[in-house]
Amino acid sequence: MKTKGIRLYGKKDLRLEEFELPKIGADEILAKVISDSICMSSYKAATQGSDHKRIPNDVAEKPILIGHEFAGELVEIGANWQHKFKAGQKFSIQPAIYYEEGPVGVLSAPGYSYQYIGGNATYVIIPKDVLVQDCLLAYDGPGYYPASLAEPLSCVIGAMHANYHTKPGSYVHQMEIVDGGKMAILAGVGPMGLAAINYVIMREDRKPSLMVVTDIDQARLDRAASIYSPEWAKTKGIELIYLNTSGDNPVGKLRDLTGDEGYNDVFVFAPVPPVIEQGDAILSNDGCLNFFAGPGNTDFTAKMNFYNVHYASTHIVGTSGGNNDDMVESLEMFGKGLDPAGLVTHIGGLNAVIDTTLHLPEIPGGKKLIYTHKDIPLTAISEFKEKGKSDPLFAGLHDICERNNELWSVEAEEFLLANAKDI
C-alpha cells in the first residue's frame, strides 16, 4: 500500500512524499490516519533533527514520519492481535513508549523514532512496540479530533497527578492537587492551559475551590472566559478568576485573591523566568509548583526562594507528558462530555504541515489541526467568514462554527471530510 506523509531527514528538512509501506507482519496493524494536531514538540524535533533524543542518528538514510497527536481507523490487523482489535475501529495513540532493553530503558515514540508510523501521513503501520506496551487505544466517542487531542490532555492530567504535598513528621508524599485548595495556572490561556482549565472544571473526584488563570494578553483571557466561563465553573463548585498580570505588582494581586495565604498548586505554562519566579512567590506553605512548559535552552534557569523551601516546605516538580493511564482517563473524560474543541484555532491539510511545523512558534492561537487526507491551506477559524466569500468549503465551515461559539466541532469535521479536496 502507498502512503503520503511528511518525513524528516535532518534539521529543518521535512518532505511531503509518497512511498510504499511494507506488508504488515503478525505483530503489526495497518491504520488510516484521519487527524493529527501539531505539537510544539514536533517543531523541536524538526529543528533539532538527530540531535533530538528520540530521533535516530541515521534519520538521513532512514527518514521518520513526523507527528504524534493522531487518530484514525484500523484497516488490517496482524494475526497476533486479531483477538484484541478489529478493522474499522477508531483509535488513539499514546506516543511515549517506554520499554526495557537490556540494563536500560528505551524511550521511543511514533512521530520521532519510526519510519512507518507518525501522525502526518495518510496510512501508517502500527509496530509491535506500540501494541505490546498497550499504547494503541480504542476510541468510541464522536468524531476524530478529540482522539487526536487526547494526548495533549493526557499531559495535563499527568501534571495534576504528579503534584504532591506533605505533612510535618511524615516522609510520605501525598500525590495530587489539594482537594478544595487554591490553584493558579500561570500563562494559562494557550492551548495546554485551556486543556487544563477544562479538565479541572470537568473533573469529578477532586478540584480546587479557587482557580486563578493568568496571562498578559487581555484578548486571550477574554476568549478563554468565553469558552470556559466563571459562571460554568461556579456550577461545579469552583471560583474561577481570569487575571491580567501585565500591570504592576502581579504577585501582590495574586496573593490578595487568597487572603495572602498563597496557592497550594501552581502550574507554569510558559518557559519564562519571571513567570516561574512569580509562581514561586505565590506558593502557600507546602505549596507545589509544577513547571509544565519545557524550555528549548539546556541552560535555562530561574530563581527560587530557598528560604521558603526550608521553612515553608515549598517544592517543585516538572512534567512533560502523560502515561497510558492518563490517556485512558483522557478518553474517558470525552465520554463524560469534555470537548477539547476550545484548543483548536486552525485547521489544514497534509499540504500545510511542513510550513506550519517549521514556523509554529510564530503562528498565534492554539492547536493546528491537520486532516491528513485533505489539501487545505492552514486557516484560522476566525478567517472562515472572509474566505467563505469565495470558497464554499469555508462558507459552510463558518456557518457551522458560528452556531457553536466560534469553536470547532464534530459537525464541522464531518462537513470538512465530506467536502474538502483530497490530497
Side-chain angles (χ1 to χ4, degrees), residues 8-11 49-50 55-64 112:
L8 176 70
Y9 284 80
K11 294 180 180 179
S50 59
I55 293 177
N57 292 329
D58 61 353
V59 69
E61 294 76 36
K62 297 179 180 178
I64 58 94
Y112 301 89

Side-chain angles (χ1 to χ4, degrees), residues 24 77 109 159 206 239 304 313 407:
I24 66 166
I77 316 298
R206 64 173 58 220
E239 181 184 5
M304 188 170 182
S313 300
L407 296 177

Side-chain angles (χ1 to χ4, degrees), residues 98-393:
Y98 181 84
Y99 57 95
E100 294 183 3
E101 186 174 276
V104 297
V106 175
L107 186 64
S108 60
Y112 301 89
S113 316
Y114 296 92
Q115 289 182 273
Y116 302 124
I117 183 171
N120 291 305
T122 53
Y123 293 89
V124 298
I125 294 176
I126 300 172
K128 182 179 179 180
D129 291 351
V130 172
L131 299 172
V132 298
Q133 299 300 321
D134 287 329
C135 290
L136 175 63
L137 303 172
Y139 171 63
D140 300 320
Y144 294 93
Y145 75 86
S148 282
L149 297 172
E151 193 277 337
L153 180 60
S154 79
C155 298
V156 166
I157 291 171
M160 299 287 167
H161 295 335
N163 264 32
Y164 72 92
H165 300 276
T166 62
K167 284 186 177 181
S170 171
Y171 301 117
V172 176
H173 287 181
Q174 298 171 317
M175 305 306 298
E176 268 287 3
I177 64 170
V178 172
D179 191 21
K182 298 175 176 65
M183 175 186 292
I185 301 178
L186 308 186
V189 292
M192 299 305 289
L194 292 175
I197 298 166
N198 198 4
Y199 172 71
V200 170
I201 295 174
M202 288 290 295
R203 200 173 172 189
E204 296 175 350
D205 58 333
R206 64 173 58 220
K207 58 187 64 184
S209 60
L210 172 68
M211 176 166 59
V212 181
V213 180
T214 75
D215 201 82
I216 58 173
D217 185 326
Q218 191 59 45
R220 282 158 56 94
L221 286 163
D222 291 344
R223 178 178 182 269
S226 73
I227 300 169
Y228 309 120
S229 71
E231 293 75 19
W232 177 50
K234 189 174 182 179
T235 67
K236 303 288 188 177
I238 300 172
E239 181 184 5
L240 171 58
I241 297 172
Y242 290 98
L243 180 67
N244 191 321
T245 52
S246 61
D248 294 333
N249 194 21
V251 168
K253 292 175 182 176
L254 281 160
R255 293 193 67 93
D256 284 347
L257 294 173
T258 68
D260 202 36
E261 290 182 7
Y263 295 81
N264 308 102
D265 297 283
V266 176
F267 294 85
V268 177
F269 276 78
V272 178
V275 178
I276 297 169
E277 292 162 14
Q278 185 182 102
D280 177 48
I282 64 172
L283 287 171
S284 68
N285 188 78
D286 189 44
C288 184
L289 187 152
N290 189 307
F291 180 46
F292 185 90
N297 179 6
T298 57
D299 297 322
F300 181 87
T301 58
K303 294 179 181 178
M304 188 170 182
N305 186 324
F306 277 88
Y307 180 92
N308 287 340
V309 170
H310 187 85
Y311 288 105
S313 300
T314 59
H315 40 271
I316 187 168
V317 299
T319 56
S320 61
N323 60 22
N324 266 26
D325 291 340
D326 300 325
M327 278 290 289
V328 170
E329 186 177 347
S330 259
L331 297 172
E332 289 175 347
M333 291 296 289
F334 297 150
K336 295 177 180 177
L338 189 154
D339 186 346
L343 280 70
V344 180
T345 57
H346 296 67
I347 58 96
L350 191 63
N351 56 296
V353 169
I354 294 176
D355 191 60
T356 301
T357 301
L358 294 179
H359 296 91
L360 195 58
E362 306 154 31
I363 305 173
K367 281 291 183 181
K368 284 68 183 175
L369 184 64
I370 299 298
Y371 288 93
T372 61
H373 287 258
K374 299 301 179 179
D375 185 341
I376 313 167
L378 185 73
T379 306
I381 293 175
S382 61
E383 297 173 347
F384 286 176
K385 183 176 182 180
E386 184 62 30
K387 286 201 171 188
K389 294 177 180 178
S390 58
D391 189 328
L393 173 68

